Amino acid sequence: MKDQTEIRGAVHSTLAHDSAVKHVTGRAEYTDDIPEPAGTLHAYLGCATQTHARIRAMDLSEVLAAPGVVGVLTADDIPGQNDISPTGRHDEPVFPTETVEFHGQPLFAVVAETRDAARRAAERARIDYEVLPHALDPIAAQEAGYPHVTDPLTLSRGDADQALGLAEHRITRRMVIGGQDHMYLEGQIAFALPGEDDDVILHCSTQHPSEAQHMVAHVLGVPSNAVSVNVRRMGGGFGGKESQMNLFCAVAALAAKKWNRPVKIRPDRDQDMTATGKRHDFVVDYDVGFDAAGRIEAVKGSFAARCGFSSDLSGPVTDRALFHADNAYFYPHVRLESHPMKTNTVSNTAFRGFGGPQGVIVAERMIEEIAYALGRDTLEIRKANFYGAEGRDLTPYHQRVEDNIILRLVEELEESAEYQSRRRAILEQNATGGILRRGIALTPVKFGISFTATWYNQAGALLHVYNDGSIHLNHGGTEMGQGLNTKVAQVVAEAFQVDIDRIKITRTTTEKVPNTSATAASSGSDLNGMAALDAAEQIKARLVAFASERWQAEAAEVRFLPNRVQIRDEVIAFDAFIRLAYLARVHLSVAGFYKTPKIHWDRAAGKGRPFYYFAYGAACSEVEIDTLTGEYRVLRTDILHDVGRSLNPALDRGQVEGAFVQGMGWLTTEELWWDTAGRLRTHAPSTYKIPLASDRPRIFNVRLAEWSENKERTIKRSKAVGEPPFMLGISVFEALSMAVASVADYRECPRLDAPATPERVLMAVERLKRGARS
């Protein structure tokens, strides 16, 4: 037997995504690739053509008479609850019965022999409306007296009003922050197969199989054990499949059970974008007091969000916006308030960062305001306000920042990116005038890791070791391209000291691991990796006990070597050892479990430790704008990001790169626009512009902080990577601001609203030019 010195696929080593080859060759199978059984029907949604109205009458006779139509579904066909609200507020019907709350709201579903037939028939509905006044944005909603969709949150420490009144300098302004569509490659889809009695099997594209299971059960009026939800992989999620799949799963299941035939529903991209929620838009009023050195003394902030017609996940999203309104900065006195406003738009939902990016960018705007007011470098002001030692380490929600590495990260990036010399060169170049102007910015991020709903911080895993030595693993996380399955397989491979080829991770299914949390909040590896490790350690303990008894050895004399097991001086191949354990009737299957320790949160008091730890990062971006058109290019970006001890550096770098580009898109080209009638006009790739490959920085340097190690006992001392680097895109936004400010010799903060489209950049340039001439 050839000895191995190490296994293939151990943690902390670079390993390709387990489906990488399938992805690039088109062999990866998604829900729509599942072969359709004979008799499969197809559903399509019929949607409202008014923004806010009472439904007087709904005539579907022509829909039913259309070729290929089998039937329609309305609220009257729901045997259980007509509600798919993920937070249990009972404010989100599958189909409304009285009132239309937004343009494009699903009112019914057509079920037909083909998707095309269902899609065409849906347009034949005749609906009589009584049109009502509508409010589309949070300010209009406040002025119209609209309610909050969920309870607001206040975070407070010290006396912000008094400190602001005593501050040497004070700035009060407003910032408008746009939303963002998820634009996942694979759209929403659900495929339901009816079973006997109450049973139904669902294949769907969801980040939260257990929620889909529970929602379908509620709508059908059956227990959760009658509904099985399966997810092999998603073609992207970004939060858009954490709750938004509920509608499609419910419709597919209702139709499947009503007609006792398999039913698939797959909206086209336009309907996907109009019927599903997005990143929350915010209008933020901020008030910041500071001293002559640029140190912040007090902050007040009012965060009004466009939440849509129902609560969905707006409560925790707007909460997290407040949690991250400090970013990496200490506020001695602070008061932050959320205003989750009801609007006549689709209910907004989770999106990478979950409200955090909207809080972080406000913190960066205040830093920018201070720097321009004092005529200083924004980086100097940032460093002056970082969290520090005792006395400057308490967040607005009263959690201490105990693992602060932000200054080290920023100073290391400042040197490696040659920030100071490049900034001097840019100032000199801009001083010569000209049409093209440049800007540079180095921005940090501090991001809390954990679900703020404490009960979601748990995970399960099911592990089988077969008697040939192969290993089968199932866990509650979902794979959406981020490489979760690869990382968890690496954890198990290292635990048993076997090559990763022995391990097969199967589709996520509610039949194997129950009551799972969403794969969200950057917690997938943290939670599911630890649950899988717990399962592996349980089986290893049984194997050690077996070996100790059979060979009359001490437990310490049993060692797992690469693909082998050593008992005293005897070395046995792993598969042979497992075979012996099976013959000795050792139980080789186990359920693992993990719950995050130390966290607690009292929302009413606005105090606690909602986050297990913080992840940090920094980005330095340089841009060039055309002052005649407002167009711009990102010339160079340098990133240094903290992932603790990386489980897989290649996957983590990919997450950092992708998150940065997506964050950059949110703040530059991705503009959501509703007309005055309440119709979303940016509802397809033709009108909604995500970044292209050509939009990436011309020079793009990404490094992981290899010296970092999580001080908390996370999986192999790693840190989450899914969401934190999204906010590094703010460096591009801040660099654009500097370039714009150059036309007025940096005397005024440009106060760009987001996204900083070329139109907004051009308007800001012209406004500053007029101010400079007056």
Side-chain angles (χ1 to χ4, degrees):
M1 179 174 57
K2 182 181 178 181
D3 289 350
Q4 280 184 259
T5 57
E6 59 183 33
I7 62 171
R8 196 185 83 80
V11 294
H12 311 309
S13 66
T14 289
L15 188 72
H17 189 294
D18 69 321
S19 297
V21 173
K22 296 185 182 74
H23 289 156
V24 298
T25 58
R27 291 189 288 113
E29 293 187 358
Y30 298 88
T31 300
D32 204 30
D33 297 314
I34 296 172
E36 297 173 6
T40 295
L41 299 174
H42 297 264
Y44 204 81
L45 300 174
C47 298
T49 56
Q50 295 294 329
T51 300
H52 189 203
R54 290 191 182 89
I55 303 172
R56 287 174 170 161
M58 192 158 61
D59 181 359
L60 302 180
S61 58
E62 289 192 25
V63 176
L64 288 165
V69 170
V70 173
V72 297
L73 292 173
T74 67
D76 293 337
D77 296 293
I78 296 173
Q81 299 178 27
N82 184 17
D83 180 68
I84 48 173
S85 169
T87 53
R89 295 182 73 91
H90 302 288
D91 60 355
E92 188 170 350
V94 179
F95 301 122
T97 56
E98 298 177 358
T99 307
V100 169
E101 298 279 9
F102 71 93
H103 194 283
Q105 182 174 10
L107 303 180
F108 62 93
V110 185
V111 180
E113 297 290 348
T114 67
R115 180 175 177 274
D116 184 64
R119 188 170 182 268
R120 291 177 183 276
E123 300 298 319
R124 297 189 173 198
R126 293 183 178 180
I127 302 171
D128 182 18
Y129 300 101
E130 178 189 344
V131 177
L132 303 172
H134 60 258
L136 301 178
D137 64 70
I139 303 306
Q142 287 177 327
E143 292 172 349
Y146 274 40
H148 293 131
V149 296
T150 187
D151 296 332
L153 174 68
T154 297
L155 300 181
S156 181
R157 197 190 65 248
D159 190 333
D161 287 318
Q162 183 182 52
L164 284 167
L166 297 173
E168 185 175 354
H169 300 277
R170 183 174 181 177
I171 295 173
T172 304
R173 291 288 186 274
R174 170 175 284 182
M175 184 177 190
V176 178
I177 306 163
Q180 186 178 25
D181 190 86
H182 302 87
M183 197 55 75
Y184 25 63
L185 286 176
E186 178 203 28
Q188 298 282 353
I189 186 169
F191 188 17
L193 290 83
E196 61 184 16
D197 301 325
D198 293 333
D199 293 356
V200 62
I201 297 171
L202 271 163
H203 300 277
C204 61
S205 186
T206 176
Q207 297 170 238
H208 201 345
S210 286
E211 174 155 305
Q213 176 192 33
H214 299 325
M215 289 298 151
V216 168
H218 293 160
V219 170
L220 293 179
V222 301
S224 293
N225 63 13
V227 181
S228 298
V229 176
N230 302 312
V231 184
R232 173 58 185 96
R233 61 170 61 85
M234 285 168 277
F238 311 117
K241 296 172 181 176
E242 188 172 340
S243 65
Q244 298 298 289
M245 71 288 159
N246 290 341
L247 170 66
F248 303 97
C249 290
V251 168
L254 280 167
K257 293 305 287 184
K258 179 171 182 176
W259 283 283
N260 198 33
R261 291 170 66 178
V263 176
K264 181 189 289 188
I265 180 169
R266 177 174 60 84
D268 62 20
R269 182 63 67 171
D270 297 82
Q271 190 173 87
D272 194 312
M273 292 183 71
T274 56
T276 64
K278 311 176 189 317
R279 182 183 297 281
H280 289 66
D281 314 58
F282 276 79
V283 178
V284 182
D285 293 311
Y286 57 89
D287 191 349
V288 57
F290 53 98
D291 63 20
R295 273 210 168 184
I296 293 172
E297 295 179 338
V299 167
K300 285 184 68 176
S302 172
F303 289 70
R306 184 201 326 245
C307 296
F309 82 99
S310 69
S311 58
D312 194 79
L313 298 171
S314 292
V317 167
T318 52
D319 285 3
R320 196 175 266 267
L322 300 194
F323 286 138
H324 291 89
D326 59 339
N327 192 16
Y329 311 116
F330 175 68
Y331 301 156
H333 299 272
V334 58
R335 182 178 178 86
L336 306 170
E337 298 175 344
S338 71
H339 297 282
M341 298 305 302
K342 176 175 180 173
T343 54
N344 294 119
T345 52
V346 65
S347 286
N348 283 329
T349 190
F351 199 129
R352 199 175 200 166
F354 206 75
Q358 295 95 312
V360 170
I361 198 170
V362 173
E364 296 306 323
R365 168 54 53 84
M366 291 189 290
I367 292 291
E368 187 184 28
E369 292 271 21
I370 295 167
Y372 283 105
L374 298 177
R376 308 272 279 280
D377 178 5
T378 53
L379 180 58
E380 181 185 352
I381 303 302
R382 288 185 172 100
K383 290 163 73 173
N385 285 285
F386 282 157
Y387 279 101
E390 188 173 352
R392 289 185 59 83
D393 62 346
L394 197 63
T395 66
Y397 42 93
H398 299 261
Q399 176 171 345
R400 294 202 178 276
V401 181
E402 300 170 338
D403 58 348
N404 190 358
I405 60 171
I406 193 62
L407 183 60
R408 179 177 176 181
L409 269 174
V410 166
E411 290 185 338
E412 185 175 321
L413 182 64
E414 180 183 3
E415 181 179 353
S416 65
E418 302 173 300
Y419 172 82
Q420 295 296 347
S421 62
R422 289 167 59 202
R423 184 174 186 273
R424 285 192 296 270
I426 288 169
L427 290 172
E428 291 171 4
Q429 179 179 326
N430 287 344
T432 65
I435 295 171
L436 301 181
R437 300 295 181 97
R438 291 191 177 188
I440 189 170
L442 196 162
T443 62
V445 64
K446 170 186 69 67
F447 195 81
I449 304 300
S450 289
F451 288 98
T452 51
T454 306
W455 57 90
Y456 280 137
N457 294 285
Q458 58 174 300
L462 181 64
L463 185 65
H464 304 316
V465 179
Y466 293 104
N467 64 22
D468 64 351
S470 62
I471 298 171
H472 173 116
L473 174 65
N474 193 276
H475 59 82
T478 53
E479 177 60 57
M480 61 193 92
Q482 81 278 40
L484 173 62
N485 283 351
T486 303
K487 286 185 174 182
V488 176
Q490 286 180 271
V491 169
V492 174
E494 180 161 287
F496 285 110
Q497 282 295 292
V498 298
D499 292 336
I500 198 167
D501 312 82
R502 287 184 183 267
I503 298 164
K504 183 178 182 63
I505 296 185
T506 53
R507 68 186 182 190
T508 307
T509 175
T510 56
E511 291 180 316
K512 291 187 176 180
V513 180
N515 306 319
T516 58
S517 299
T519 305
S522 303
S523 64
S525 297
D526 279 4
L527 295 176
N528 296 288
M530 289 295 273
L533 180 60
D534 176 58
E537 293 295 342
Q538 288 185 60
I539 290 183
K540 281 180 67 180
R542 295 173 189 171
L543 292 171
V544 169
F546 155 69
S548 297
E549 180 180 356
R550 180 183 174 99
W551 279 271
Q552 295 298 297
E554 297 294 327
E557 295 177 301
V558 181
R559 297 175 57 212
F560 287 80
L561 305 177
N563 295 300
R564 309 182 313 281
V565 178
Q566 180 178 359
I567 306 100
R568 290 183 175 163
D569 297 328
E570 186 174 351
V571 178
I572 307 172
F574 181 81
D575 48 2
F577 177 72
I578 293 299
R579 178 68 179 175
L580 291 173
Y582 161 73
L583 293 173
R585 296 185 294 179
V586 176
H587 186 34
L588 298 175
S589 176
V590 72
F593 182 76
Y594 174 74
K595 61 180 181 180
T596 309
K598 297 186 178 181
I599 53 176
H600 55 90
W601 172 239
D602 183 341
R603 190 177 187 274
K607 295 180 180 181
R609 178 177 176 164
F611 305 122
Y612 189 29
Y613 63 87
F614 296 100
Y616 300 87
C620 178
S621 291
E622 181 179 348
V623 303
E624 182 177 71
I625 70 169
D626 184 326
T627 58
L628 294 183
T629 66
E631 294 174 298
Y632 46 79
R633 297 187 302 166
V634 182
L635 302 178
R636 174 177 168 180
T637 293
D638 295 79
I639 292 174
L640 180 62
H641 198 73
D642 160 39
V643 296
R645 290 199 66 199
S646 175
L647 290 173
N648 187 318
L651 293 179
D652 286 346
R653 281 194 299 270
Q655 285 290 291
V656 173
E657 292 168 3
F660 170 83
V661 171
Q662 191 175 48
M664 179 184 73
W666 166 52
L667 296 173
T668 55
T669 62
E670 296 188 48
E671 184 176 28
L672 293 166
W673 190 77
W674 284 262
D675 64 18
T676 55
R679 295 172 294 185
L680 178 66
R681 290 305 201 180
T682 49
H683 54 76
S686 58
T687 52
Y688 183 80
K689 188 180 185 304
I690 64 172
L692 305 175
S694 57
D695 294 318
R696 70 188 294 275
R698 271 53 178 176
I699 301 172
F700 197 14
N701 302 316
V702 176
R703 289 190 299 124
L704 305 180
E706 295 179 357
W707 42 264
S708 177
E709 181 173 291
N710 201 332
K711 289 183 172 63
E712 299 295 345
R713 189 177 174 272
T714 54
I715 186 67
K716 304 298 179 180
R717 301 290 179 174
S718 64
K719 286 189 177 183
V721 70
E723 292 172 306
F726 179 93
M727 281 140 283
L728 299 180
I730 293 172
S731 63
V732 172
F733 187 79
E734 292 288 297
L736 288 170
S737 186
M738 177 186 173
V740 171
S742 71
V743 303
D745 200 24
Y746 313 102
R747 289 192 298 270
E748 181 182 346
C749 179
R751 301 190 184 96
L752 291 170
D753 285 333
T757 59
E759 294 88 345
R760 284 202 176 100
V761 169
L762 180 60
M763 288 189 288
V765 165
E766 292 300 314
R767 175 173 51 81
L768 291 185
K769 282 181 177 179
R770 288 194 300 271
R773 288 194 295 265
S774 62

